[in-house]
């Protein structure tokens, strides 16, 4: 019997709920996070059209994080391919908490003409020193331990 590969892979198409948050770890790695809204339409039991919006936390690292910080803004429409990761911790009330986040691996910008510029930036020689994306209004840039 042939073995089947099992993969953690997903693709989301949605709009950013706010401008990406860009930060840099103590080790110099750029990390960008943002919320992505996806919509699903369906008919309820009365036949009326309904829309459900789900919010997803998206995280990107390194050069991809730099590109997201530079080219995405609130409302940008984007297709994100990545994997789903779960975080588990105990809060201050000793309750177990779980969150899910999407670790982005690749993208397609669906609004604006920025796709070619962003792809070219990702393809630049990796010999360049990694530096955080320049801070823009509405974005928080801070050093955080990682």
């Amino acid at each position: 019997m042939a073995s089947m590969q099992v993969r953690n892979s997903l693709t989301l198409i949605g709009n950013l709920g706010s401008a990406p948050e860009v930060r840099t770890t103590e080790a110099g790695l750029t990390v960008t996070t943002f919320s992505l809204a996806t919509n699903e339409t369906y008919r309820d039991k009365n036949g009326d059209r309904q829309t459900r919006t789900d919010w997803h936390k998206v995280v990107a690292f390194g050069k991809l994080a730099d590109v997201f910080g530079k080219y995405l803004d609130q409302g940008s429409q984007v297709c994100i391919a990545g994997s789903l990761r779960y975080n588990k911790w105990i809060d201050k009330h000793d309750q177990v908490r779980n969150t899910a986040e999407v670790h982005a691996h690749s993208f397609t910008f669906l609004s604006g003409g920025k796709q070619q510029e962003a792809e070219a930036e990702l393809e630049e020689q990796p010999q360049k020193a990694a530096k955080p994306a320049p801070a823009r209004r509405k974005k928080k840039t801070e050093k955080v331990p990682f």
Side-chain angles (χ1 to χ4, degrees):
M1 175 180 256
S3 71
M4 183 168 60
Q5 282 191 343
V6 178
R7 230 177 131 192
N8 178 354
S9 179
L10 60 84
T11 303
L12 297 172
I13 297 174
N15 295 84
L16 272 70
S18 60
E21 240 182 74
V22 179
R23 62 189 190 280
T24 304
T25 66
E26 289 178 0
L29 178 67
T30 303
V31 180
T32 299
T33 58
F34 56 88
S35 59
L36 187 73
T38 58
N39 294 319
E40 178 183 357
T41 57
Y42 63 94
R43 299 243 180 233
D44 64 16
K45 64 181 179 180
N46 298 323
D48 297 325
R49 187 179 171 145
Q50 302 291 326
T51 301
R52 184 181 84 204
T53 301
D54 289 311
W55 290 91
H56 312 274
K57 180 180 179 182
V58 179
V59 181
F61 301 93
K63 221 167 186 189
L64 186 59
D66 288 331
V67 167
F68 285 169
K70 184 174 180 180
Y71 293 102
L72 292 178
D73 280 311
Q74 180 176 1
S76 296
Q77 188 175 53
V78 65
C79 175
I80 300 289
S83 58
L84 191 59
R85 302 288 171 93
Y86 295 96
N87 298 313
K88 187 179 200 178
W89 75 95
I90 298 176
D91 69 12
K92 63 183 178 183
H93 303 291
D94 290 328
Q95 297 295 313
V96 175
R97 301 289 181 191
N98 293 291
T99 57
E101 59 189 23
V102 176
H103 283 214
H105 301 162
S106 62
F107 67 95
T108 302
F109 293 147
L110 301 174
S111 58
K114 303 174 186 176
Q115 182 72 30
Q116 288 179 339
E117 294 171 36
E119 286 176 350
E121 191 164 321
L122 279 174
E123 292 173 3
E124 286 180 7
Q125 293 297 324
Q127 299 156 349
K128 282 189 167 184
K131 60 182 179 179
R136 296 179 6 195
R137 62 178 167 67
K138 299 192 285 184
K139 291 185 185 166
K140 297 177 186 175
T141 302
E142 59 185 77
K143 292 256 184 202
V144 294
F146 197 62

